[in-house]
Each structure stands twice: as C-alpha cells, then as structure tokens.
C-alpha cells in the first residue's frame, strides 16, 4: 500500500509518498501570500505505479540515460534493463521510482526514507542502500540523497519534480516562465537522446540561458537538438563551484525558484510529452509543457564516457547529493534576477 506523509513549516507544506519517495505536493505562497501546489502529480495514488512520468520521484540507481543499456566497470560488462528503446532511462523498469521506501525518521517538518536495492537489480552490481531526506526550511525544501554500496557500482540520484510556479491547478503552461541556467555548455545528443561525448558552446543557440529568457521563446526554433528532444530535454554543464545552478520565475504569480546543487550537470526537460494520462492532483489532465523539470545530476551516459565526471561509487564511500528548492517572490524580472 502506498502511504502518504505530510510535513509543514511556516507557509510551506509538502506531501510525499512511500512509492519512489516521491514529492507529490509542495505548497508555496505567491507574491500576495496565497499558497498553491507548484509540482505536478497524480490524483489517484495507484496511478503512480507503472506510469512512466516519474512525478516527484527519486530516480535511479542511475538517473537519466545509459546508452545501449550497458556499461563496463573494472573490465566487467554489465547489461542493465532497457526501457527506452535500446537504452536505459532512470535505470529501467522498476527503478527506485517504483520501489517501496521505508520511513525511518519523521518530524513535523522533515521525513527520511530508506530503500535497499539488492545486488543485480536491473543488472546493476552491488547492494545499494539509499536514503532520501526531505526537510522544509524557512525558504523552501532541502533534499539530501545518500547511498552506500557493498561492491563497486555507478550511482546518479536526483529528484524528478515537475514544476509549474503558476500552480498545478492553474491550467497554464510553463512557456511564459523565465529561466536562467548557470551554464555555458551542453552535452549534445544523438538518436535516443544519448550524449555524443562532445561539448557544445551555448552561445548563439536556443540553449543559452545565461541571461534570463522565456522558456517558450525559442523552444520551437529550427534547431537539430530541439528536434531530437521535441523541445528541451538536455544536460547543461554547470559552471563553477557548488552554487545556485538555475533560477525560475513565473511573472504571473511572482514565485521564484532558486535551485541549489553541487552536481556537475542539470537536465532541463520542458515537459514535451506530458499530454494525456491519468488526472493530476487537481483533477485535470495535463497538457504538453504544463510543467518542467530541473534535475541536477551527473551527466547522462557517464559510465560509458571517460571524458565525463565519474559516477563510480566504491565500498567505504558515501554518495551524497544535496538539493535545495529555495523560494521567494518578486515584482518583476529585475527583482527575480538581481545582478
């Protein structure tokens, strides 16, 4: 049975479920103090089973794609489960998003989930113990993802929340949201959205979000990468040290999201394939681009790309990924994007 856990602090309220340790509801005030849920999810908890949307879930063991559904570690080839054509997406069917997680700690404003993924699950080596801690703070939600293993393996964990800062029930798309990403390069993809191994400068392309731009401004541009993704579904190489990697602003509500992470990449997905499916938490069926994902993580296909940051985890090491969704409000662009 899927259980629901609610936590609250100040103006913020979150609802999470034990399937996938998923964030189902996150209520955030607008510039007038009115609260609304800003993440997408299903109205019926049972719809979280088997529907490949990953709403708010912890994805892994390896978030994003691994080309050919295989990788080699210490000279041993590991064939993992394919679920995206010939490739593995978020570690194949029955990944962490489809697993039951135990609640191991709970307070008014925080909850910690734990799951043990057995050795060989979906083809991955090593038994992996994963914890996900969600804590509401004075300015939003902090997520701590940790993992340990008993054998060398690869790990890449993130949270797969779909945001609409206008509100999940608003009926608006995210095309008028304004986005800034601290990235001067992407990892371009080929067929199946698998990275080619190259790096591409964003200058002069629809992928340049170093200055704030409307998400919809160039989403339908005549660009080979956008055609492959049917919009944005690409990894951005984050510039600099642990920091605010992206800022998202909804001019209508005044809500601003500052995303913090220390990971080297950020997958920006513009919700291109959201149309249809079971009703969302407000009871309406979502349309394409009703939400977007900003997923900090290792690069896609890193286990097969020596030139990418390593995703290896060995016994005795602790994988740690700190994510913070920090919220504020702004009257306009200058206030939303100071400096």
């Amino acid at each position: 049975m899927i259980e629901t856990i609610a936590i609250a602090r100040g103006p913020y309220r979150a609802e999470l479920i034990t399937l996938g340790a998923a964030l189902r509801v996150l209520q955030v005030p607008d510039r007038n103090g009115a609260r609304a849920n800003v993440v997408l999810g299903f109205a019926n908890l049972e719809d979280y089973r088997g529907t490949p949307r990953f709403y708010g879930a912890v994805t892994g063991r390896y978030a994003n794609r691994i080309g050919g559904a295989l990788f080699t570690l210490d000279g041993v080839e590991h064939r993992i489960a394919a679920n995206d054509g010939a490739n593995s997406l978020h570690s194949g069917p029955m990944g962490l998003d489809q697993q039951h997680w135990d609640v191991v700690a709970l307070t008014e404003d925080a909850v910690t989930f734990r799951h043990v993924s057995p050795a060989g699950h979906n083809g991955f080596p090593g038994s992996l113990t994963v914890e996900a801690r969600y804590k509401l703070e004075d300015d939003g939600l902090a997520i701590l993802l940790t993992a340990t293993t008993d054998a060398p393996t690869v790990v890449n964990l993130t949270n797969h929340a779909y945001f609409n800062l206008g509100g999940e029930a608003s009926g608006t798309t995210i095309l008028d949201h304004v986005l800034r990403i601290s990235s001067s390069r992407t990892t371009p993809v080929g067929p199946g959205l698998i990275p080619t191994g190259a790096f591409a400068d964003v200058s002069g392309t629809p992928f340049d979000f170093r200055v704030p731009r409307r998400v919809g401004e160039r989403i339908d541009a005549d660009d080979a990468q956008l055609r492959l993704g049917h919009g944005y579904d690409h990894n951005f190489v984050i510039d600099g040290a642990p920091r605010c990697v992206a800022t998202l602003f909804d001019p209508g509500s005044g809500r601003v999201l500052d995303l913090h992470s220390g990971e080297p990449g950020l997958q920006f997905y513009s919700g291109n394939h959201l149309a249809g499916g079971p009703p969302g938490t407000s009871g309406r069926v979502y349309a394409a681009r009703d939400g977007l994902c900003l997923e900090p993580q290792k690069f896609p296909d890193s286990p097969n790309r020596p030139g990418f940051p390593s995703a290896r985890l060995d016994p005795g090491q602790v994988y740690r990924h700190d994510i913070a969704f920090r919220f504020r409000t702004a009257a306009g662009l200058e206030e939303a994007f100071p400096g």
Side-chain angles (χ1 to χ4, degrees):
M1 183 178 70
I2 302 173
E3 299 176 47
T4 301
I5 296 95
I7 56 176
R9 178 167 177 168
Y12 303 106
R13 179 184 177 276
E15 183 180 300
L16 303 108
I17 60 173
T18 50
L19 187 72
L23 175 66
R24 182 169 180 260
V25 171
L26 181 59
Q27 292 185 337
V28 175
D30 66 7
R31 62 165 65 94
N32 298 314
R35 292 194 304 179
N37 174 27
V38 298
V39 296
L40 306 191
F42 290 122
N44 186 339
L45 293 182
E46 289 302 316
D47 287 330
Y48 282 87
R49 298 188 192 275
T51 306
R53 290 283 173 83
F54 308 100
Y55 287 144
V58 175
T59 49
R61 296 182 176 199
Y62 198 93
N64 217 311
R65 294 171 173 88
I66 294 181
L70 60 84
F71 63 92
T72 299
L73 191 65
D74 295 334
V76 177
E77 183 179 270
H78 297 277
R79 292 192 171 272
I80 57 178
N83 63 334
D84 188 32
N87 306 313
S88 173
L89 174 63
H90 302 316
S91 300
M94 301 303 293
L96 292 180
D97 63 291
Q98 289 295 299
Q99 300 300 318
H100 174 82
W101 294 58
D102 295 318
V103 175
V104 295
L106 178 63
T107 64
E108 288 186 2
D109 61 4
V111 60
T112 301
F113 299 92
R114 179 182 297 151
H115 176 71
V116 179
S117 178
H121 179 70
N122 276 354
F124 284 88
S127 175
L128 192 75
T129 300
V130 187
E131 289 195 355
R133 181 175 186 258
Y134 293 84
K135 180 173 173 45
L136 287 172
E137 300 181 335
D138 290 341
D139 57 357
L141 178 66
I143 305 173
L144 172 59
L145 304 174
T146 59
T148 57
T149 182
D150 63 1
T153 192
V154 295
V155 179
N156 182 32
L157 306 176
T158 194
N159 180 273
H160 203 293
Y162 286 79
F163 287 98
N164 184 321
L165 297 185
E168 182 272 343
S170 66
T172 61
T173 72
I174 46 77
L175 295 177
D176 287 331
H177 282 37
V178 181
L179 177 64
R180 181 173 65 190
I181 303 176
S182 300
S183 171
S184 56
R185 297 182 298 163
T186 63
T187 52
V189 297
L193 300 183
I194 302 301
T196 64
F199 295 89
D201 192 319
V202 301
S203 300
T205 78
F207 293 85
D208 192 349
F209 286 93
R210 290 174 295 180
V211 296
R213 293 187 181 273
R214 283 182 57 251
V215 170
E217 180 180 335
R218 299 174 294 178
I219 200 169
D220 295 318
D222 184 13
D223 178 271
Q225 287 292 301
L226 289 176
R227 287 194 295 273
L228 283 169
H230 302 282
Y232 296 104
D233 193 1
H234 296 78
N235 174 59
F236 288 71
V237 179
I238 297 304
D239 298 330
R243 59 263 168 232
C244 176
V245 300
T247 295
L248 185 68
F249 172 52
D250 171 44
S253 68
R255 293 185 183 92
V256 182
L257 165 61
D258 293 316
L259 171 62
H260 293 252
S261 167
E263 289 294 86
L266 177 73
Q267 187 79 9
F268 169 33
Y269 173 52
S270 51
N272 312 308
H273 304 291
L274 279 176
T281 48
S282 61
R284 66 183 193 86
V285 174
Y286 299 135
R289 299 169 179 168
D290 272 2
L292 62 78
C293 299
L294 297 169
E295 304 164 76
Q297 56 190 262
K298 301 285 192 291
F299 297 173
D301 206 32
S302 283
N304 293 315
R305 303 289 176 180
F308 287 179
S310 175
R312 181 185 181 116
L313 182 69
D314 286 312
Q317 297 178 330
V318 177
Y319 169 95
R320 177 173 178 142
H321 182 190
D322 288 278
I323 305 171
F325 300 133
R326 305 201 184 280
F327 294 95
R328 52 192 172 89
T329 60
L333 285 174
E334 290 187 3
E335 191 175 352
F337 301 96

